[in-house]
């Protein structure tokens, strides 16, 4: 079976070109993006959190699946990269872009929990994991990617992945599944209340 996504977000071509121009190479993998769109579609009025906007390819996938009443908060440390996402996607009233450290944002956030949390950066995945999981609503989904070894990984990335997988799979408050697919994913669903 060919698992190449057939429906691509309209903004993807422009975002990819701008990512190349900016030298950004960590964009959301297409199959991961298609899963994000499906997960977003499963929560028509959902609240979604993306940790690590990058240039916005994952954001575009999330928006492509979201219903009109859904809302997305996307947090990115690098203002220059997020400016690309804002230029291409910022007119969509369903998304709020936040420039800042994801760990600090997680520590300071005091609003409602989220139906979907996509942790695509270190905070919320390799740091601040407990806090990120606290922000997943009962029955909500937590997704992380980039778990399969890649050339150019930082030296401590693999050890961080091993710790993350062990931590998540030992928890009683989430049910997890590993997906040896795309860039290597783990999806967790928070136990109902």
């Amino acid at each position: 079976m060919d698992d190449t996504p057939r429906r691509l977000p309209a903004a993807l071509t422009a975002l990819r070109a701008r990512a190349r121009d900016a030298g950004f190479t960590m964009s959301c993998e297409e199959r991961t993006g298609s899963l994000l769109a499906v997960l977003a579609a499963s929560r028509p009025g959902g609240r979604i959190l993306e940790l690590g906007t990058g240039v916005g390819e994952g954001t575009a996938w999330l928006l492509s699946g979201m219903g009109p009443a859904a809302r997305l908060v996307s947090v990115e440390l690098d203002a220059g990269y997020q400016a690309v996402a804002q230029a291409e996607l910022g007119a969509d009233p369903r998304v709020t872009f936040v420039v800042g450290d994801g760990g600090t944002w997680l520590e300071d956030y005091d609003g409602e929990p989220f139906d979907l949390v996509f942790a695509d950066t270190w905070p919320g995945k390799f740091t601040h994991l407990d806090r990120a999981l606290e922000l997943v609503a009962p029955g909500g989904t937590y997704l992380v990617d980039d778990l399969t070894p890649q050339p150019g990984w930082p030296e401590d990335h693999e050890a961080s992945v091993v710790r993350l997988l062990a931590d998540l799979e030992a928890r009683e408050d989430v049910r997890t599944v590993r997906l040896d697919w795309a860039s290597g994913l783990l999806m967790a669903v928070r136990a109902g209340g």
Side-chain angles (χ1 to χ4, degrees):
M1 177 175 73
D2 180 2
D3 62 356
T4 304
R6 303 283 185 245
R7 294 176 64 182
L8 305 178
L12 207 56
T13 300
L15 288 168
R16 287 177 174 167
R18 298 203 50 194
R20 279 190 302 277
D21 293 346
F24 186 79
T25 61
M26 300 299 294
S27 288
C28 181
E29 198 270 345
E30 259 187 17
R31 292 171 297 167
T32 301
S34 67
L35 178 60
L36 289 172
V38 168
L39 290 172
S42 75
R43 303 292 185 148
R47 296 177 39 76
I48 300 169
L49 172 62
E50 177 185 38
L51 297 166
T53 311
V55 297
E57 288 188 38
T59 312
W61 283 103
L62 286 163
L63 288 168
S64 75
M66 288 168 49
R71 296 294 175 259
L72 168 63
V73 175
S74 187
V75 182
E76 171 60 42
L77 178 62
D78 189 300
Y81 289 145
Q82 194 180 71
V84 173
Q86 288 180 13
E88 296 296 328
L89 305 169
D92 191 319
R94 299 172 300 166
V95 63
T96 300
F97 290 104
V98 177
V99 175
D101 178 80
T104 302
W105 188 91
L106 285 166
E107 292 167 3
D108 293 344
Y109 179 76
D110 66 352
E112 294 179 55
F114 295 90
D115 299 300
L116 171 60
V117 173
F118 176 45
D120 191 22
T121 190
W122 284 65
K125 180 169 25 179
F126 301 135
T127 69
H128 302 84
L129 176 63
D130 288 339
R131 180 62 180 144
L133 291 173
E134 287 173 9
L135 295 181
V136 178
T141 302
Y142 169 83
L143 182 72
V144 293
D145 66 348
D146 301 330
L147 302 179
T148 300
Q150 302 290 321
W153 263 11
E155 189 174 307
D156 56 347
H157 194 102
E158 187 168 2
S160 296
V161 167
V162 170
R163 266 192 314 278
L164 173 69
L165 295 174
D167 288 350
L168 284 167
E169 291 171 344
R171 296 180 70 103
E172 295 293 325
D173 59 339
V174 295
R175 183 71 183 245
T176 64
V177 61
R178 293 184 190 196
L179 302 168
D180 186 13
W181 180 72
S183 63
L185 307 173
L186 181 134
M187 185 166 50
V189 172
R190 187 174 175 103

